[in-house]
Amino acid sequence: MAIGFFVGVLSASTAARAADAPAAAPAPQITFNEAIDRALRHNPTVAVALAEIARANALVTQARSGFFPTLVGNGSYTHLNGNRFASDRKTVTADQNQWAGNLTLTLPLVSPVAWGQTGAARDNVRISEASAADVRRALATAAARAYLTVVAQHRVIVVNETARASAKDHYTYAHTRLLGGLGHSIDDQRAAQDLASVEVQVQAAYAGLVRAREALGVLLAADTPVDSTDTVALAAPPDRESALREANVQRTDIKLLNQRLTAAQAQADRDWTYYAPLLAAVGQPFIQEGSPLVPRDGWQAQLVLTLPLYDGGLRTGIAHERAALIDEAHADLEAGLRQAQSDVRTAFDTLLLADKGLAAARDATNFAQKSLELANLAYQAGATTNLEVIDAAQRARDADTAAAQAEDVSRNARLDLLVASGRFP
């Protein structure tokens, strides 16, 4: 009897994955790159980040209005209980009905505070853009991990499906021997128990696939679960020195921290605007009716100079606050750089260890397969009971599962290194 586990589980075909799987309904398949692209286009987190950029641009428009001209129209109507007269009781000084209208045009000529607020608003736009880029990075990483989880779960299903087929073959062989008077009842019961145990693992593997596909679908903002294809194409990881160097300049979280520090320093450089004078030109044409002492129409113009002398400590408090923000931004950036370097070192060393573990897991799979074949031959020759066969089958199944898990660890380690160095997405 030919009985064995599938050795090449790490490169299983679609046909093997498509075995009878009532616990996992069909779901649309997409590639790894398609999953990342769909997540970045449709996930609500990205939409929120883009809305934050739009809001920051709107705040720039609001701040910029402080040094743009303003035009205000005013109108009034007054009804008195009667005409108003001078002391001679003959000269009318105010009619019973009066109306007036004017336009006031204010043109800020020197408006340092508004200039500073506009500069700060523009800095916030750049921060929002950097934050959106970091959100995209985090989302792409989450989608990639979810995709790899689906791929890994398919590998586990292949292992368990192959184990179920082998256990079924072994049970059929043991049961046929029993019916033919050549076998033993205990061998038949052991084979049946092993087949039932493998069936439990098969159903658990399909349940894990359901959860993994649903999680991927949520990240991709899909209305259905989403499935993976057989292959995952990750970029080649960088060497250690390149990764350490690139992490400080390419990672979006480091760029965001740098932008926050730059904005904080620029804000502190604008402290002078609170001490500078303000100069505005004001023009006002008017027209009125009902007050003989005032011309019916005319205009007036003014230059208004405002010099801030004392503000109760407002400007000093603002300066101290901005200095504290610079210190915080410096500390955050230093911490971020240290974390980035640590992430690269950890990911690089983990990748090396994961690849070694994967090689060892594949060797264990081969050895377990050979042990299973020998146990099967011995059982067929009548040298042993099927207890050795079942034990060898369990060991082979465990070795195949460990190899599938080792492949997943290796792929995630590669993804970690790409993320840590700023090369993904």
Side-chain angles (χ1 to χ4, degrees), residues 13-372:
S13 66
T14 304
R17 287 174 46 182
D20 183 25
Q29 288 185 331
I30 62 174
T31 66
F32 180 77
N33 290 334
E34 288 173 342
I36 302 303
D37 180 67
R38 186 179 298 185
L40 295 180
R41 285 188 292 110
H42 298 297
N43 191 279
T45 306
V46 175
V48 172
L50 294 178
E52 278 298 306
I53 295 177
R55 189 179 74 88
N57 279 309
L59 292 176
V60 171
T61 303
Q62 294 178 35
R64 191 173 55 189
S65 66
F67 56 85
F68 272 37
T70 60
L71 181 62
V72 179
N74 295 288
S76 67
Y77 169 76
T78 304
H79 177 74
L80 304 177
N81 63 329
N83 292 337
R84 298 293 186 263
F85 298 94
S87 58
D88 60 5
R89 308 300 296 175
K90 296 180 181 180
T91 304
V92 177
T93 59
D95 291 344
Q96 183 178 21
N97 296 297
Q98 304 175 27
W99 60 268
N102 65 71
L103 293 174
T104 302
L105 174 66
T106 303
L107 177 62
L109 301 177
V110 179
S111 186
V113 173
W115 299 341
Q117 291 173 342
T118 302
R122 290 195 176 111
D123 289 339
N124 287 333
V125 171
R126 288 185 282 270
I127 290 175
S128 296
E129 291 171 346
S131 179
D134 194 46
V135 166
R136 290 170 61 86
R137 166 182 172 265
L139 177 60
T141 302
R145 294 194 192 284
Y147 191 94
L148 294 182
T149 299
V150 176
V151 172
Q153 199 60 35
H154 277 300
R155 301 296 188 263
V156 173
I157 287 175
V158 170
V159 169
N160 286 282
E161 286 281 7
T162 306
R164 180 169 65 178
S166 297
K168 186 176 182 179
D169 289 343
H170 178 63
Y171 170 73
T172 301
Y173 179 78
H175 193 64
T176 300
R177 281 176 55 115
L178 178 63
L179 295 178
L182 301 176
H184 302 282
S185 178
I186 190 171
D187 289 345
D188 180 70
Q189 293 302 309
R190 285 173 184 158
Q193 184 272 331
D194 184 55
L195 177 58
S197 297
V198 174
E199 184 65 31
V200 172
Q201 296 177 353
V202 169
Q203 299 307 318
Y206 276 109
L209 178 62
V210 169
R211 290 191 293 269
R213 295 194 308 189
E214 286 289 351
L216 180 59
V218 169
L219 280 171
L220 272 53
D223 295 329
T224 61
V226 177
D227 204 352
S228 67
T229 58
D230 284 326
T231 58
V232 175
L234 289 175
D239 60 80
R240 188 186 189 96
E241 294 305 317
S242 296
L244 289 171
R245 183 175 60 255
E246 292 172 6
N248 289 344
V249 295
Q250 292 191 19
R251 282 179 50 148
T252 54
D253 56 339
I254 300 301
K255 292 180 179 179
L256 175 58
L257 293 173
N258 269 310
Q259 187 58 56
R260 286 175 175 166
L261 176 58
T262 300
Q265 292 171 334
Q267 274 285 73
D269 292 340
R270 299 187 188 102
D271 285 348
W272 66 270
T273 61
Y274 289 94
Y275 296 86
L278 289 77
L279 180 63
V282 180
Q284 188 179 62
F286 66 89
I287 185 171
Q288 67 87 30
E289 189 71 46
S291 180
L293 301 180
V294 179
R296 185 178 183 280
D297 54 67
W299 60 271
Q300 64 181 19
Q302 291 178 306
L303 283 177
V304 181
L305 177 66
T306 303
L307 181 61
L309 299 176
Y310 178 71
D311 57 12
L314 173 65
R315 291 172 290 189
T316 302
I318 290 175
H320 290 168
E321 177 193 7
R322 291 177 175 177
L325 289 175
I326 291 176
D327 292 340
E328 290 179 9
H330 267 299
D332 288 341
L333 178 58
E334 291 174 0
L337 290 172
R338 282 194 299 270
Q339 185 63 53
Q341 297 295 295
S342 175
D343 289 346
V344 169
R345 293 191 297 268
T346 301
F348 194 86
D349 292 341
T350 300
L351 177 58
L352 295 179
L353 296 172
D355 285 346
K356 291 180 180 179
L358 178 58
R362 286 171 173 167
D363 289 342
T365 298
N366 293 330
F367 293 141
Q369 172 65 22
K370 292 177 181 177
S371 297
L372 178 57

